[in-house]
Amino acid sequence: MAVSSSSPLSRTLRIGIVGFGPFGQFLATTMMKQGHTLTATSRSDHSQLCARLGISFFRGMTEFIEAENDVIMLCTSILSLTEVLKSLPLHCLKRPTLFADVLSVKEGPREVLLQVLPEESDVLCTHPMFGPESGRDGWNGLSFMYERVRIRDEATCSSFLHIFESEGCRMLEMSCEEHDKLAARSQFLTHTIGRILSEMEIESTPIDTKGFQTLIQLKESTIRDSFDLYSGLFVHNKFAKQELNNLVLAFEKVKQKLEEMNEKSDLSMQPL
């Protein structure tokens, strides 16, 4: 179900960001432009950047939790989510709050959120399927996946989703399991091929074809992301293991066919 761009429930929100790295900063820029009030906390000190952006930065987790955010948006790495969640003084929440994650895998984080967060907290699992590079010219037409895992406050949830719909995102409501199954085939394979090309140290040549230029672009865009992100796509997506096995098997099949053709060629070249 997509949210309506004309929803009367859409309102400005107070959004707290946990993990103010490049992706958190990227999302914050648009949220500020839309008029939302933002707070942030992070392991690194981003107080000066936040001051320039008009965002309240909290070094202490307690002060951040007590800031009465409507939404707490989790922008941590996949690998650190559990640790970060357990470090939050959730008993200091002053009222029911919507927790929304924006991680690239969904099934594992969904279970962690349900296990760690208070029962009265709402849970929205999301994946903006774009980033600072692909979304630098706007979000129109870019995909945004979400699952309403545990929602009681529909107004706040709809207002948060409206942030992305109003920018022209393609809103996709699906289960976390379905997302991970599709992402293993698309996102994980894309990152894996890019990492392989990086290990091969491929570079542009004077006779590049369009196809090879595409491979160069894939390599360069992939290695901009941290290896922690890439490994998280594998470790925390149960479907990624099978896709990696499928990739290895497919490579072996292609290699075998080439070797068979090579043997036939060698035989045909032998003198009668």
Side-chain angles (χ1 to χ4, degrees), residues 138-156:
W139 302 353
N140 188 49
L142 301 177
S143 297
F144 180 89
M145 169 271 166
Y146 64 98
E147 180 185 358
R148 290 179 166 95
V149 176
R150 185 173 67 203
I151 301 297
R152 300 180 187 88
D153 185 346
E154 286 288 348
T156 296

Side-chain angles (χ1 to χ4, degrees), residues 185-245:
R185 174 56 62 93
S186 58
Q187 188 182 27
F188 174 71
L189 274 186
T190 300
H191 277 259
T192 299
I193 297 299
R195 291 282 169 180
I196 291 171
L197 295 174
S198 176
E199 291 294 333
M200 293 176 64
E201 299 182 346
I202 66 168
E203 301 291 345
S204 294
T205 75
I207 57 170
D208 283 0
T209 61
K210 289 293 185 181
F212 188 72
Q213 289 174 358
T214 300
L215 291 181
I216 292 289
Q217 291 169 3
L218 172 60
K219 180 203 75 169
E220 291 176 348
S221 65
T222 299
I223 61 176
R224 289 193 192 102
D225 292 321
S226 69
F227 195 81
D228 272 359
L229 170 62
Y230 172 58
S231 61
L233 296 177
F234 179 75
V235 173
H236 292 283
N237 186 343
K238 66 184 181 184
F239 300 104
K241 285 78 172 174
Q242 186 58 53
E243 290 302 331
L244 184 60
N245 290 336

Side-chain angles (χ1 to χ4, degrees), residues 250-260:
F251 175 81
E252 289 299 331
K253 286 181 180 179
V254 172
K255 181 181 176 184
Q256 182 180 354
K257 289 178 180 179
L258 288 173
E259 289 173 343
E260 289 172 356

Side-chain angles (χ1 to χ4, degrees), residues 31-154:
M31 291 174 176
M32 290 291 292
K33 182 186 70 175
Q34 291 184 3
H36 300 286
T37 301
L38 267 57
T39 65
T41 188
S42 197
R43 286 182 297 183
S44 302
D45 185 0
H46 295 287
S47 53
Q48 292 186 350
L49 172 61
C50 284
R52 291 198 299 272
L53 295 174
I55 297 171
S56 299
F57 184 80
F58 295 92
R59 292 289 293 165
M61 289 289 195
T62 300
E63 292 81 4
F64 172 79
I65 289 293
E66 291 178 341
E68 298 195 44
N69 298 293
D70 299 306
V71 181
I72 291 181
M73 186 171 67
L74 301 164
C75 297
T76 67
S77 71
I78 299 167
L79 300 179
S80 67
L81 175 65
T82 301
E83 176 189 351
V84 170
L85 265 183
K86 290 183 176 180
S87 72
L88 295 175
L90 298 171
H91 63 279
C92 294
L93 286 168
K94 295 185 176 180
R95 56 191 171 89
T97 305
L98 170 63
F99 283 78
D101 85 284
V102 292
L103 277 62
S104 299
V105 294
K106 298 269 59 83
E107 208 173 7
R110 178 186 185 276
E111 296 309 308
V112 172
L113 291 169
L114 289 174
Q115 289 170 12
V116 177
L117 294 176
E119 173 62 30
E120 61 270 20
S121 296
D122 282 2
V123 177
L124 177 69
C125 286
T126 81
H127 182 194
M129 306 199 66
F130 50 90
E133 187 67 25
S134 56
R136 67 182 182 274
D137 296 322
W139 302 353
N140 188 49
L142 301 177
S143 297
F144 180 89
M145 169 271 166
Y146 64 98
E147 180 185 358
R148 290 179 166 95
V149 176
R150 185 173 67 203
I151 301 297
R152 300 180 187 88
D153 185 346
E154 286 288 348

